[in-house]
Amino acid sequence: MTWLARLSLTNRAVVGLVTVLVVVFGLISTTSLRQELFPSLDVPLATVVTPYPGASPQVVEQQVTTPIEAAVKGIKGVTGTHSTSTGGSSVLTLDLEYGADPTQLTSQVQRAVQGVTLPADVTPRVVTGSTDSIPVVQLAVSSNLGDDRVAAVLRDEVRPLLTGLAGVADMTLSGISEPRITVDVDPAAAAARGVSLTSISTLLQANGVRVPVGQLTPDTNPLTVEVGSPITSVEQLRGLYLTAGATATPPAANGDVPVRLGDIATITAGPAPATGYTRTNGAPSVGIGVTKQVQANTVSVSDEVRAALPRITDLLGGIAQNA
């Protein structure tokens, strides 16, 4: 008989107690494990997406893609690059070393990209992907109500509800039309009034914002003073005044004359062109994707979302959901 067998027979109570403790700790550990459909994997890729509206592929290549590519090539951990330059857009894909810290590499890429001199109003965006960014719950909402009403409820009420649940990182919507205001300038009318397109752009950037101008300091709490108010209607845009100046070609014959934006442009509000469509059982619907936090449990997040469905139904006024 071995010494282990003799020890076990001599201390049967201790062995039994240890066995029970191992079983208990095993059960506790099993219930605390994360339950996932996919393992957490970081794809060793980073993508730099840079929109440049109106530019030709040649201009995008020379002024955007090439400078960004040169800036990121020297980063340690980047093993290769692949770029695509099309009309109005540059996409640069970076191959990263396996095992490298994706968060650190992404920060380095962002710093390198921010240091590149690019044309005005061109802002690159660094995108990385992993299995944690895949939505763990997909919902579809269909209703007889108007699209604008459904979109407003989902943005203003359902989104805060879902993102406030334990373990939920974000909520995305698909299949809705975003509102857009179009300012269609009449070049002939603008030239006749001595107004340049640059002055119109400056006018739109300078209006509709609140600017802090200081504080009032009474005996109690100080009060912040702001000038300006947001533009909330097409009529307010039409009523904006701009001044004809020497920057226009030809300049106005009667000097600086106040001109309303509505006098030289047609301003309309409407939905932006759809970039995607969502259908459920052949009928148009709105898609909701719920993404969990990195350390959250997929099953727990799914249960939280399912438990919130009755409240979402009440907010939507009886709109049908399909999980």
Side-chain angles (χ1 to χ4, degrees):
M1 183 179 297
T2 64
W3 66 270
L4 183 58
R6 289 196 299 270
L7 181 63
S8 301
L9 292 174
T10 305
N11 303 279
R12 288 176 292 181
V14 176
V15 172
L17 179 60
V18 171
T19 303
V20 172
L21 291 176
V22 170
V23 172
V24 171
F25 282 117
L27 293 175
I28 295 174
S29 300
T30 302
T31 56
S32 63
L33 291 175
R34 290 197 302 163
Q35 296 171 296
E36 306 288 346
L37 291 175
F38 303 101
S40 181
L41 297 175
D42 289 314
V43 181
L45 292 174
T47 304
V48 182
V49 181
T50 310
Y52 192 1
S56 65
Q58 292 79 10
V59 172
V60 172
E61 172 71 21
Q62 296 172 1
Q63 299 185 9
V64 178
T65 304
T66 300
I68 293 178
E69 194 169 12
V72 301
K73 274 186 175 180
I75 298 176
K76 184 179 180 180
V78 176
T79 60
T81 61
H82 313 276
S83 63
T84 302
S85 300
T86 59
S89 177
S90 167
V91 178
L92 178 64
T93 303
L94 311 179
D95 297 328
L96 308 179
E97 287 184 355
Y98 281 95
D101 185 355
T103 303
Q104 182 178 358
L105 278 178
T106 301
S107 299
Q108 294 178 0
V109 172
Q110 289 175 340
R111 288 195 297 268
V113 169
Q114 290 172 357
V116 178
T117 302
L118 298 174
D121 300 326
V122 173
T123 304
R125 184 166 56 96
V126 180
V127 180
T128 57
S130 70
T131 54
D132 292 324
S133 61
I134 301 175
V136 296
V137 178
Q138 289 281 2
L139 303 175
V141 178
S142 58
S143 171
N144 294 326
L145 299 179
D147 294 339
D148 293 342
R149 175 57 182 162
V150 174
V153 173
L154 291 176
R155 290 194 191 99
D156 301 336
E157 301 184 57
V158 176
R159 184 190 296 274
L161 171 61
L162 289 179
T163 55
L165 298 177
V168 174
D170 194 14
M171 183 196 98
T172 58
L173 298 174
S174 60
I176 62 175
S177 298
E178 298 290 343
R180 184 179 71 173
I181 293 179
T182 302
V183 180
D184 187 8
V185 180
D186 184 346
R193 301 293 185 96
V195 176
S196 67
L197 295 179
T198 302
S199 63
I200 297 175
S201 176
T202 303
L203 174 73
L204 296 176
Q205 293 175 0
N207 286 273
V209 296
R210 291 190 177 96
V211 179
V213 296
Q215 287 185 335
L216 296 177
T217 55
D219 296 335
T220 57
N221 296 329
L223 301 175
T224 301
V225 179
E226 296 179 340
V227 175
S229 60
I231 295 175
T232 58
S233 66
V234 172
E235 287 71 21
Q236 289 178 329
L237 278 175
R238 291 174 180 154
L240 291 179
Y241 281 93
L242 45 83
T243 303
T247 56
T249 304
N254 56 349
D256 291 346
V257 179
V259 179
R260 291 192 318 134
L261 183 59
D263 296 334
I264 61 172
T266 302
I267 305 174
T268 56
T275 58
Y277 297 93
T278 303
R279 292 182 178 273
T280 303
N281 297 327
S285 62
V286 177
I288 300 177
V290 180
T291 306
K292 73 178 185 66
Q293 298 173 1
V294 176
Q295 300 300 325
N297 190 313
T298 299
V299 175
S300 299
V301 172
S302 301
D303 292 340
E304 289 277 351
V305 174
R306 286 185 177 276
L309 288 180
R311 283 182 288 169
I312 296 176
T313 303
D314 293 338
L315 291 174
L316 294 169
I319 299 174
Q321 298 94 25
N322 299 288

